[in-house]
Amino acid sequence: MADDKLDNLGPLMNEIGQELAEIVGGDPNGVFLYAEIGEGWNGPSVFKDEGDVVRYYNSASEILSDLLFESWYAASEDPIKRWSVMEYDVKNGEFSVSFKYPDEVNVEIVDARRREAALRARYGDKPVIYPPPPKGAFELKP
């Protein structure tokens, strides 16, 4: 059974890497995907280390979203045993993946600090460049 999961997850992880390469425009080296997922939703964030800075890429890819769902469902039939957070890293042509599970983190409670903590753990104080807000956007303040 565990081998079946690996047989399913391995190719899916490879496809995720290929889609990440598409999102960043070619070379996936230095890409980091932080994704949270739950029943009926997922929230991927794609970043790429560009030396002095880390760049955020728009991750509104339907293909990436579908691949995340496929890997989530392939992980287990039991929702309690499925991962909640995926951290996917590409370095020197190879990827590594780590998971956090519902007993480690409750992603049903929205908290952007989890993603920020993952970025700081990976990149330290390196600046993260986000795209400018769209025209007409405004900032809400408490």
Side-chain angles (χ1 to χ4, degrees):
M1 179 95 149
D3 287 341
D4 290 343
K5 287 181 191 171
L6 289 177
D7 289 343
N8 290 338
L9 285 176
L12 285 169
M13 293 299 118
N14 190 50
E15 286 184 62
I16 288 171
Q18 291 172 4
E19 181 59 16
L20 291 172
E22 284 291 318
I23 290 169
V24 300
D27 180 13
N29 196 44
V31 167
F32 173 60
L33 165 67
Y34 177 86
E36 294 186 358
I37 195 167
E39 192 65 52
W41 65 272
N42 64 52
S45 297
V46 178
F47 300 88
K48 185 170 184 187
D49 188 338
E50 296 183 349
D52 294 337
V53 298
V54 175
R55 186 165 312 278
Y56 171 83
Y57 284 81
N58 182 350
S59 51
S61 160
E62 192 172 316
I63 294 169
L64 179 58
S65 179
D66 289 348
L67 289 168
L68 290 172
F69 278 126
E70 283 184 57
S71 66
W72 190 63
Y73 285 114
S76 176
E77 290 182 18
D78 182 353
I80 302 285
K81 295 180 181 178
R82 292 182 188 144
W83 55 273
S84 297
V85 174
M86 174 193 289
E87 294 183 17
Y88 186 112
D89 201 18
V90 181
K91 289 183 183 165
N92 302 319
E94 297 181 358
F95 68 84
S96 62
V97 181
S98 64
F99 299 102
K100 292 183 181 164
Y101 294 86
D103 63 337
E104 298 172 278
V105 61
N106 181 1
V107 296
E108 297 300 325
I109 298 171
V110 176
D111 188 348
R113 292 176 293 184
R114 289 190 296 262
R115 181 183 79 174
E116 192 64 28
L119 284 172
R120 293 298 150 225
R122 187 156 315 287
Y123 300 116
D125 290 332
K126 193 178 281 194
V128 178
I129 307 298
Y130 292 92
K135 286 188 177 190
F138 57 93
E139 183 177 341
L140 298 175
K141 295 188 181 202

